[in-house]
Amino acid sequence: MERVSALDEPLKKSLGPATAKVMGEQLGLHTVGDLLHHYPRRYEERGQLTTLADLPLDEDVTVVAQVADSRILTFNQGRGQRLEITLTDGSGRLQLVFFGRGIHKPHKELPPGSRGMFAGKVSVFNRKLQLAHPTYVPLGREGAGSVADAASAVDDFAGKLIPIYPACKGLESWKITKAVDAVLPRAVEAVDPLPPALREGRGFVPLPEALLKVHRPDTKADIEDARQRLKWDEAFVLQVALARRRFADAQLPAVAREPVADGVLDAFDARLPFTLTDGQRKVTAEIFADLATEHPMHRLLQGEVGSGKTLVALRAMLTVVDAGGQAAMLAPTEVLAQQHHRSITEMMGELAQGGMLGGAEHATKVVLLTGSMGVAARRQALLDLVTGEAGIVIGTHALIEDKVRFHDLGLVVVDEQHRFGVEQRDALRSKGKQPPHLLVMTATPIPRTVAMTVFGDLETSVLDQLPAGRSPIASHVVPAQDKPHFLARAWERVREEVGKGHQAYVVCPRIGDDDDDAGKPGGNGKTRKAGKAAAEEAEKRPPLAVVEVAEQLTKGPLAGLRIEVLHGRMQPDDKDTVMRRFAAGEVDVLVATTVIEVGVNVPNATAMVIMDADRFGVSQLHQLRGRVGRGSAPGLCLLVTDMPEASPARARLRAVADTLDGFELSRIDLEQRREGDVLGQAQSGARSSLRMLAVIDDEEVIAAAREEATAVVARDPELTDSPELRTALEALLDTEREQFLDKG
């Protein structure tokens, strides 16, 4: 839940401008309500030492531990001093380091045997985990001090649970604890969004009590009571928002588009060189049933890379064409729009040449519409749409422009990644005589709980069966920093694949050539500084770039091969030419950015080398890998990284290498991004709106909340009888979030 209107007072009134500024900028906390909903990440008990063995690299942490030893060392020929303190908890060790004039205070306050709470960013030096210049609070020695001191310690710590908050630089956990103490009395003003009957029926504590218990629990049972209640609030308010969207959609009229015998679809099916998989048949039946109703279809089609989603979507579009309507496919990039247009016209052959010389008896016209088209081609495409000559249009956001008019728009297909907002959907809806049917496609497999949470206003169809003839993909991590000869072997493997008549992709995270997002890379990744600061070095240098890597490969390990580049800043015609040449086998190695991530289909491409693979997300790596192994020959994907063996980045890459199961990888991806906002707020840098609910672990809560929310909205769509729930909903659905709920 986002915030409650009674607690909208700005934090600067309660905490002062300096603290409020850091909270706003670093944690996205602006009001008293925001801070009350910033829950502890975990709780420490007196005497219980934090496990140091599992500290995450490059993350801000708070630990409670004991000083094992302390020593002052000199360096720079005696001119400099540093203090090194070793912490221990029995399971692992962590080094603290202080430099210069800042060494004397901690040296005095943290003698061996004392305990403290320490906060800082975990880094690696000389293969040891360390915190450099951490902030700390001494907790004294076990059993030390006077009777009065001991009594005070008992009051402060013994039997109490110490909340450890998600923190940031300049605002450690214990400072957040003090800030929460200042606003906690206001929790009694929190407006409870749950209808009383629902709260009592499920035995939940009131919201003010839950807030008090989550921040200042006396027992572990208090924490559990609070968490159950707060998880339910988040799930329920979100599901009410989605249920209202589904209810509103169900009231809209639409033209039923039923299959017609002996039309373009039947002619298309007759020319397919293969039979549909059972999964494709099942999903098609679900889509056709939706299209035949007089309310708009709102369906999410998710499937593994290469499961044949485009074919399913095309058959849906042809059904609408047969029924007298038009279909529009919206793609996120020009490269992908061109790729879809090419593959669909190739699949349809003469059936895509309606009204043209050589067109089949049952045929339609398939047009492309993008922002960079020439004036004449654009004018003709717009004319074909308004007259109905074109049954299918494939395009980018250019489709949404005011001047685009349809004869009878019946179906909108939204492809991967496209953030489809309220205004865009309404703009497209207005182009139909009645609201068109909607099919959203994604190649990122989504666990059921996430589908219920993020895409809760859409019915879901899943394609989890790969068509016959798809080959397995072998994936390996290539630790270029630790083992440079592995990278040399990777380029040999690319040569071997090209020698067999196949082709390869090399993917880089950056374009290069003085692009804005970073400076030029300092080298080719093979001979960078080794040793103590490998992770730091890999993090600090700019990501490897297409332009530079292509040049290095051409002069070096892949000299003599036909190498070309592809990236988003090229002219559309140039991009299309490169893709056509690659698809035709005239290019051996394509060095590209992630523009090839979705939709690109070149069955002869068998190898992919992903440079700086640690810079990509798990699901993105899985998507990229899906570009190879699309033919009869097995695929090979090599994940190149400079990150050290023990880093979280390497663990992520190992997970990708170990499985081809996209649903399993999506779970891993989600678990790693749990603090991110499934409503998309993470993209804009704001904090998570789901602070307590874990969409992977809390499936039962989400399913139950969805059921209750659907019932509440069915009884009272305007929430007239639940003003507190309406208030909570308005707080959750600020403009940006409400738009995201309309995005697919």
Side-chain angles (χ1 to χ4, degrees):
M1 207 180 74
E2 172 56 12
R3 69 167 85 105
V4 188
S5 57
L7 304 180
D8 268 351
E9 182 182 285
L11 280 173
K12 61 184 175 187
K13 276 195 173 183
S14 307
L15 307 179
T19 302
K21 184 171 188 246
V22 178
M23 283 199 167
E25 291 176 356
Q26 298 282 332
L27 297 172
L29 306 176
H30 302 282
T31 67
V32 169
D34 289 342
L35 181 53
L36 288 176
H37 289 294
H38 185 71
Y39 309 129
R41 189 191 300 276
R42 56 188 170 82
Y43 303 84
E44 287 290 352
E45 293 179 83
R46 174 72 168 161
Q48 174 198 341
L49 295 178
T50 309
T51 303
L52 297 180
D54 301 320
L55 283 177
L57 194 62
D58 294 325
E59 286 192 22
D60 284 299
V61 298
T62 302
V63 300
V64 178
Q66 189 162 8
V67 176
D69 57 61
S70 171
R71 60 205 165 278
I72 293 178
L73 304 172
T74 58
F75 61 94
N76 198 13
Q77 296 179 332
R79 290 197 295 272
Q81 286 187 314
R82 76 172 178 271
L83 169 65
E84 290 182 358
I85 296 175
T86 305
L87 302 182
T88 182
D89 67 350
S91 75
R93 295 169 84 80
L94 174 66
Q95 188 164 284
L96 311 181
V97 60
F98 300 86
F99 292 96
R101 294 177 183 172
I103 70 172
H104 302 295
K105 187 167 182 278
H107 188 230
K108 181 181 175 184
E109 292 181 339
L110 299 170
S114 64
R115 294 171 74 253
M117 189 146 53
F118 306 90
K121 192 169 190 174
V122 182
S123 59
V124 175
F125 183 75
N126 279 343
R127 301 200 172 271
K128 290 180 185 174
L129 293 177
Q130 74 166 23
L131 300 182
H133 278 280
T135 314
Y136 65 90
V137 170
L139 299 179
R141 292 173 179 269
E142 294 290 350
S146 66
V147 174
D149 289 341
S152 173
V154 168
D155 286 342
D156 287 347
F157 295 111
K160 279 195 178 181
L161 294 152
I162 306 168
I164 306 295
Y165 288 92
C168 62
K169 188 175 181 183
L171 206 62
E172 297 80 11
S173 174
W174 51 87
K175 289 184 181 173
I176 297 173
T177 299
K178 286 183 178 177
V180 171
D181 283 338
V183 301
L184 201 52
R186 304 291 299 278
V188 295
E189 299 176 45
V191 178
D192 200 321
L194 294 193
L198 193 159
R199 179 172 63 76
E200 289 158 17
R202 291 192 171 264
F204 292 134
V205 299
L207 180 58
E209 186 181 332
L211 291 171
L212 288 169
K213 283 183 169 180
V214 79
H215 288 293
R216 300 296 175 262
D218 290 325
T219 65
K220 289 181 179 176
D222 284 351
I223 299 170
E224 188 53 34
D225 284 350
R227 280 184 167 161
Q228 279 189 343
R229 170 62 213 261
L230 296 168
K231 276 183 183 182
W232 182 271
D233 279 14
E234 290 178 1
F236 180 69
V237 174
L238 178 55
Q239 290 302 331
V240 167
L242 294 166
R244 292 185 79 194
R245 164 59 54 191
R246 289 195 303 275
F247 183 87
D249 286 340
Q251 310 312 305
L252 295 171
V255 178
R257 310 284 180 172
E258 297 190 40
V260 175
D262 299 324
V264 187
L265 177 62
D266 283 351
F268 175 74
D269 285 348
R271 60 177 281 135
L272 279 179
F274 50 81
T275 55
L276 299 180
T277 64
D278 292 341
Q280 287 172 326
R281 289 181 191 282
K282 173 177 169 288
V283 167
T284 296
E286 292 169 348
I287 292 171
F288 282 9
D290 284 356
L291 291 174
T293 64
E294 293 183 350
H295 297 290
M297 169 175 74
H298 285 88
R299 188 165 285 277
L300 170 70
L301 172 58
Q302 57 167 313
E304 278 286 13
V305 175
S307 59
K309 291 180 302 300
T310 307
L311 176 63
V312 169
L314 176 55
R315 294 184 76 243
M317 291 194 285
L318 294 178
T319 300
V320 171
V321 170
D322 280 341
Q326 293 168 290
M329 179 182 268
L330 199 55
T333 64
E334 292 207 356
V335 167
L336 191 50
Q338 290 162 345
Q339 177 72 26
H340 276 315
H341 183 253
R342 187 182 311 121
S343 63
I344 284 172
T345 51
E346 284 171 1
M347 277 196 278
M348 289 179 64
E350 59 185 15
L351 299 175
Q353 297 171 3
M356 299 162 70
L357 203 60
E361 178 190 354
H362 296 291
T364 188
K365 199 167 183 181
V366 180
V367 301
L368 177 69
L369 186 65
T370 64
S372 63
M373 286 171 66
V375 175
R378 185 179 176 80
R379 188 180 295 129
Q380 184 60 52
L382 293 172
L383 185 63
D384 289 340
L385 289 180
V386 76
T387 60
E389 185 89 6
I392 294 175
V393 59
I394 295 145
T396 55
H397 59 277
L399 278 176
I400 299 166
E401 292 173 6
D402 288 343
K403 62 182 74 169
V404 179
R405 293 277 183 272
F406 288 84
H407 178 65
D408 181 13
L409 180 61
L411 171 65
V412 174
V413 178
V414 182
D415 194 26
E416 186 73 39
Q417 298 175 344
H418 193 82
R419 288 294 185 80
F420 194 37
V422 168
E423 291 157 12
Q424 294 164 311
R425 184 180 291 186
D426 286 348
L428 265 175
R429 273 184 174 156
S430 68
K431 295 178 187 297
K433 293 172 183 172
Q434 288 187 327
H437 298 282
L438 175 71
L439 181 65
V440 176
M441 297 197 300
T442 175
T444 305
I446 302 166
R448 177 171 173 262
T449 47
V450 185
M452 282 194 296
T453 308
V454 182
F455 298 102
D457 61 335
L458 303 174
E459 298 299 323
T460 303
S461 294
V462 179
L463 270 179
D464 52 9
Q465 192 181 1
L466 293 185
R470 288 300 299 262
S471 301
I473 305 170
S475 304
H476 304 284
V477 179
V478 178
Q481 184 75 50
D482 303 347
K483 299 176 181 175
H485 60 287
F486 276 34
L487 183 58
R489 175 64 186 135
W491 301 128
E492 287 174 17
R493 285 292 289 115
V494 170
R495 277 192 172 279
E496 288 165 13
E497 288 300 309
V498 173
K500 294 176 191 171
H502 299 308
Q503 294 159 278
Y505 298 99
V506 176
V507 181
C508 302
R510 193 167 67 89
I511 295 171
D513 195 20
D514 294 325
D515 53 349
D516 296 331
D517 54 341
K520 296 206 176 212
N524 61 6
K526 289 187 283 187
T527 56
R528 294 189 191 90
K529 295 176 190 174
K532 62 188 180 184
E536 198 176 324
E537 184 75 14
E539 277 298 319
K540 282 183 179 174
R541 69 165 172 76
L544 293 175
V546 166
V547 176
E548 285 88 348
V549 168
E551 186 180 342
Q552 288 154 6
L553 292 176
T554 303
K555 294 175 180 174
L558 300 185
L561 301 187
R562 298 171 298 176
I563 298 173
E564 295 206 15
V565 300
L566 180 71
H567 55 74
R569 283 220 317 274
M570 292 166 60
Q571 290 299 314
D573 287 349
D574 294 341
K575 286 188 277 196
D576 199 41
T577 300
V578 170
M579 275 313 304
R580 283 182 187 277
R581 283 169 45 74
F582 188 65
E586 296 167 15
V587 175
D588 297 322
V589 179
L590 187 64
V591 184
T593 56
T594 54
V595 292
I596 58 130
E597 182 180 349
V598 286
V600 175
N601 184 26
V602 181
N604 191 47
T606 56
M608 175 176 285
V609 181
I610 303 179
M611 307 301 292
D612 279 344
D614 49 273
R615 310 258 184 173
F616 301 95
V618 168
S619 294
Q620 193 172 34
L621 291 169
H622 182 58
Q623 288 267 31
L624 287 164
R625 172 172 62 185
R627 299 305 107 206
V628 297
R630 301 177 77 86
S632 55
L636 173 68
C637 180
L638 302 174
L639 307 167
V640 180
T641 179
D642 277 359
M643 297 303 282
E645 176 70 33
S647 64
R650 281 283 282 277
R652 234 179 24 244
L653 297 182
R654 280 195 298 274
V656 175
D658 288 347
T659 181
L660 292 172
D661 183 338
F663 281 92
E664 175 59 27
L665 289 173
S666 71
R667 289 180 72 89
I668 293 168
D669 199 18
L670 196 72
E671 282 164 358
Q672 291 175 342
R673 292 186 296 115
R674 179 164 293 167
E675 294 304 316
D677 184 349
V678 298
L679 288 184
Q681 290 292 85
Q683 312 306 325
S684 62
R687 71 194 178 290
S688 166
S689 72
L690 296 188
R691 300 182 183 87
M692 189 64 78
L693 193 73
V695 285
I696 283 290
D697 300 331
D698 295 321
E699 180 166 348
E700 287 181 16
V701 175
I702 293 168
R706 181 183 171 97
E707 200 173 305
E708 292 273 18
T710 303
V712 166
V713 171
R715 286 194 306 269
D716 182 14
E718 297 303 316
L719 304 180
T720 308
D721 300 332
S722 306
E724 296 86 2
L725 176 56
R726 203 165 62 243
T727 298
L729 203 61
E730 287 162 3
L732 172 75
L733 296 181
D734 57 36
T735 308
E736 187 174 355
R737 292 200 181 154
E738 190 166 290
Q739 287 187 10
F740 191 86
L741 288 175
D742 270 339
K743 296 170 184 175

